[in-house]
Amino acid sequence: MVPTTRSQSRSQQEDPSSDSEGESVYDYTPIVAPSKLAYSLSNLDEDSRDSVIDTFSEPPRLSLKAYASREQYAVFEVEGLATYEIRTGAEDSHFAFPTCTCGAQEKPCGHIIWLFDQLASQSLTNKGQTLTMTNQGYAAQLGRPFAKLTDFHIDMFVDSLHYSPADNPSPRRVQETREILASLNDTPVDEYRPDLVGGPGEEGEIINRGDLEKTVFSMLLRNNDFFLYFLSLMPSDEVINNRFRRLEQRASAAFEGLDAYAANPALWAARSPKNVAWCAAHLALVLDQVSAAIQTAAAPPEPWEQRAAARTVMRVLEGVVERAGDVGPAEPLLPRGQRNLFFCLIGDEDRGFAVGVLDQLPPAVLAPWLDRLAAVEARVLSRGVPPSYLENLRSLIARVRGSASSSPSSFAAAGAKRSGHGNDRRAKRMK
Ligand SMILES: [Zn+2]
């Protein structure tokens, strides 16, 4: 992880392969290359020797991209998959401005620009506004990137970048991998190869003789490049490459974070706790991003996108209505809006929470959710809510009910069926 080269560590005499005179065991014994061939380094000067040791110890990930054969010479274009480290920190740290180990002369480098563009796309709502790029390679609207990252929480951020450790695939990677393969098989995710989860598929050998699907499954779990390549080629649909679904996943992660915080007092004193304020900020951001995606879309959203947007907003609304209890420390007693998620977002004042976004969708899209909207109304009523909020919720429900009764019943039935799970389209195709 730390970019100390072999030669650096040798000079610091931490390397067991060197002795106090700066000599190396490789002065006397051959070094074995990744090709398994052994090379004697005894004829090399120190710099050359270090370079060979560095290269063979941590082989660069290179592949041949192109070649050309000329009369007098040949050309090989070698493509590298180098890794770099970007650091960003608090204002009083050494990394108030982001740094990167690529050593690019031009500042800022492409790695920094890419990373903070990702952070901006997750943490800011794209309403078509123009961001201001700074000389440091990130949008001025991020404020101090490290503070933004701390508020957002780094685990939420890296999850959205499809990060998954190779040796211990994240639950999300396992799920997304199943979704990709189920989609290719035209099989509903729930029915697809249950033997591939929680079993040897996740932990065992990557190569599974006689089982190509399991082999590909293992590769997708462990190799980020392969996974991202696969994902990039999959067409968008209800399940795969669905931006609303990604927002729904982030909302779920926010609820999970708050639930874990509520259940474990040891987390209450964390430097940036996943408390009510944090969860509420994430949920508000998710709804803001759903709303902006509907409103600023170049083309009207596809029906499946509208369904996905409705599902995301409903999950957020139901999740908040379910969480009307106080969480966190009793001492010191925080204001109610900081210890009660429902009160913070709905009960305290009418912010049009979730209802304002549902209003942007055609009522017919919400028809499958009619019963659950009515259940939300009943629970909201029992918890206490500003009258105007209740009024708006009720008029939304009335519109949805009107659309359900005015449209052919087959539509509502099909919609209800669809809302059950995201794979209905495929399930239908299977029949
Ligand atoms: Zn760089």
Side-chain angles (χ1 to χ4, degrees), residues 84 86 100-104 109-112:
Y84 302 112
I86 295 170
C100 179
T101 55
C102 71
C109 68
H111 313 111
I112 287 176

Side-chain angles (χ1 to χ4, degrees), residues 201-430:
E202 270 175 66
E203 289 161 15
E205 296 294 318
I206 290 181
I207 298 295
N208 291 274
R209 197 162 287 282
D211 192 340
L212 183 59
E213 273 181 50
K214 195 169 178 179
T215 301
V216 172
F217 181 79
S218 303
M219 288 178 172
L220 286 168
L221 289 190
R222 314 263 182 84
N223 187 311
N224 280 324
D225 300 318
F226 187 51
F227 177 82
L228 293 175
Y229 173 65
F230 233 100
L231 195 63
S232 71
L233 295 179
M234 297 292 293
S236 291
D237 68 11
E238 297 245 15
V239 177
I240 315 275
N241 287 327
N242 178 338
R243 58 191 160 160
F244 296 109
R245 192 172 151 85
R246 286 203 292 270
L247 290 171
E248 182 187 338
Q249 286 164 338
R250 200 201 297 153
S252 298
F255 284 129
E256 280 165 25
L258 179 65
D259 291 345
Y261 169 87
N264 185 357
L267 299 175
W268 295 352
R271 197 161 47 89
S272 48
K274 292 185 169 177
N275 56 16
V276 165
W278 170 83
C279 182
H282 262 295
L283 298 177
L285 180 64
V286 163
L287 292 184
D288 203 35
Q289 292 179 336
V290 170
S291 169
I294 295 170
Q295 298 208 316
T296 63
E302 298 278 336
W304 63 262
E305 288 181 295
Q306 293 180 339
R307 289 197 297 275
R311 188 164 52 235
T312 302
V313 180
M314 284 302 297
R315 291 275 154 83
V316 170
L317 178 58
E318 290 181 324
V320 171
V321 171
E322 277 167 28
R323 288 170 180 79
D326 286 0
V327 301
E331 280 289 329
L333 192 62
L334 297 167
R336 197 170 167 207
Q338 290 177 36
R339 56 189 151 90
N340 185 311
L341 188 67
F342 175 80
F343 187 79
C344 172
L345 291 169
I346 297 176
D348 184 23
E349 61 175 280
D350 181 7
R351 297 175 179 81
F353 183 80
V355 173
V357 188
L358 292 175
D359 269 333
Q360 296 168 13
L361 292 165
V365 171
L366 299 173
W369 297 94
L370 193 51
D371 291 347
R372 287 165 75 166
L373 276 169
V376 165
E377 182 197 344
R379 298 191 74 171
V380 157
L381 198 56
S382 72
R383 302 203 188 294
V385 66
S388 60
Y389 186 87
L390 187 63
E391 213 172 281
N392 290 334
L393 178 61
R394 282 176 168 162
S395 65
L396 171 73
I397 291 171
R399 277 198 303 284
V400 175
R401 193 167 279 134
S403 81
S405 59
S406 67
S407 60
S409 58
S410 60
F411 177 86
K417 210 172 155 195
R418 267 198 292 274
S419 75
H421 57 95
N423 260 331
D424 48 284
R425 204 157 50 84
R426 295 186 192 114
K428 218 168 155 186
R429 226 168 37 217
M430 286 291 285

Side-chain angles (χ1 to χ4, degrees), residues 90-120:
E91 248 181 331
D92 54 357
S93 75
H94 291 304
F95 307 105
F97 297 123
T99 66
C100 179
T101 55
C102 71
Q105 291 308 306
E106 74 271 32
K107 297 260 175 182
C109 68
H111 313 111
I112 287 176
I113 294 169
W114 173 82
L115 185 73
F116 290 102
D117 176 54
Q118 298 291 321
L119 180 61

